[in-house]
Amino acid sequence: MIEGRQFNWFWVALLALLVSGCATSGAVENDPWEAFNRPMYRFNEKLDEYVAKPLARGYQAITPAPVDRGISRFFANLDDVQIALNNLLQFKFRDALSDAGRFGLNSTIGILGFLDVATGMGLEKHEEDFGQTLGKWGFPSGPYLVLPVLGPSSVRDAVGFAGDWVVNPIFVQIDNADVSWSLYGLRYVDRRADLLKASRILQSAALDPYSFIRDSYLQRRQSLVFDGSPPETEENDFFIE
């Protein structure tokens, strides 16, 4: 039950709703480990059904909406640290400066991020991670991979997750394991609560949720790496060739 960002499988349910009908032969070719991925997907589904969803529903029931929004903003503010770093690594200096400004404003005037004052001041929130950075540097995504708890990923994104993990302020600044893991747990439950409705729609809309999530994930990651303008030709991937 760790921080999710682009690797947390729950947010993929929401993303999948935005890109229905995206299944491609290329996505299937990128899933040579399906014999492993499908059982892991079913394991994650059971974990979600018996652990994550009950916790999320309970959290949602006892947490006032303004507090819930503040907690979500708090963790989003911490994300701006790694987002700024990844923009810097991709030589997007203006975006990196904007991200650093967001973190500074929201951490001070915004009371540790519980208030998002930076957006109102024109500092746009970006979506960058080390997996995208590796893609920008030319590293192929590798096969699709379903990780325990974290869910949809790829070889490249799994490596990227580790990179983002070690620069996250929770990991860097908090030495107390009980506190840090409590924060990771709160983040996990908070994000799952935000996606309760989306996951219900996904399960009822998709004939094969596994394929739907896989294809949506791969398409969106490709789009993010190329800032919304992926090349028309498929990426040559040495992991598959």
Side-chain angles (χ1 to χ4, degrees):
M1 300 182 182
I2 315 173
E3 65 161 30
R5 268 191 326 90
Q6 64 290 12
F7 304 120
N8 190 312
W9 71 285
F10 295 122
W11 62 259
V12 180
L14 180 60
L15 301 177
L17 304 178
L18 305 178
V19 287
S20 58
C22 70
T24 65
S25 60
V28 176
E29 292 170 1
N30 284 335
D31 192 9
W33 299 338
E34 186 172 353
F36 167 84
N37 287 333
R38 279 190 179 271
M40 186 55 64
Y41 169 79
R42 290 193 292 270
F43 168 81
N44 285 340
E45 283 289 287
K46 291 300 182 182
L47 184 67
D48 185 47
E49 180 181 357
Y50 293 111
V51 179
K53 282 183 181 178
L55 286 173
R57 292 190 183 108
Y59 169 82
Q60 201 171 61
I62 65 174
T63 308
V67 176
D68 183 18
R69 288 193 297 270
I71 292 172
S72 297
R73 290 169 181 162
F74 169 78
F75 288 116
N77 183 53
L78 296 183
D79 285 343
D80 282 334
V81 174
Q82 62 204 47
I83 291 172
L85 176 60
N86 280 291
N87 267 322
L88 185 63
L89 292 173
Q90 295 176 39
F91 305 113
K92 299 177 182 177
F93 300 117
R94 178 175 296 181
D95 288 348
L97 184 61
S98 174
D99 298 327
R102 281 185 58 86
F103 180 74
L105 285 170
N106 286 337
S107 297
T108 53
I109 301 175
I111 314 173
L112 299 180
F114 284 93
L115 298 175
D116 182 7
V117 298
T119 298
M121 300 176 67
L123 296 178
E124 175 188 1
K125 186 169 183 65
H126 302 109
E127 186 174 356
E128 299 289 348
D129 55 65
F130 195 54
Q132 290 171 242
T133 299
L134 291 173
K136 288 281 188 179
W137 289 346
F139 287 84
S141 68
Y144 180 67
L145 176 64
V146 180
L147 298 173
V149 182
L150 300 177
S153 185
S154 66
V155 172
R156 181 179 65 203
D157 286 348
V159 174
F161 173 80
D164 289 322
W165 174 276
V166 298
V167 299
N168 188 280
I170 296 177
F171 178 86
V172 174
Q173 298 295 330
I174 299 177
D175 294 329
N176 188 304
D178 292 336
V179 174
S180 61
W181 282 108
S182 294
L183 287 172
Y184 285 131
L186 176 60
R187 179 181 192 143
Y188 177 90
V189 174
D190 176 69
R191 291 191 169 186
R192 188 63 188 93
D194 291 341
L195 294 174
L196 281 171
K197 185 176 181 180
S199 61
R200 289 196 298 268
I201 296 173
L202 172 68
Q203 293 299 326
S204 63
L207 295 177
D208 182 5
Y210 168 83
S211 297
F212 195 52
I213 291 175
R214 176 198 62 201
D215 299 346
S216 302
Y217 177 85
L218 293 174
Q219 184 181 44
R220 178 160 175 79
R221 292 300 295 171
Q222 178 80 345
S223 177
L224 287 173
V225 167
F226 291 96
D227 296 326
S229 301
E232 294 184 2
T233 56
E234 294 181 2
E235 179 184 57
N236 292 323
D237 194 328
F238 68 82
F239 283 104
I240 294 177
E241 297 176 351

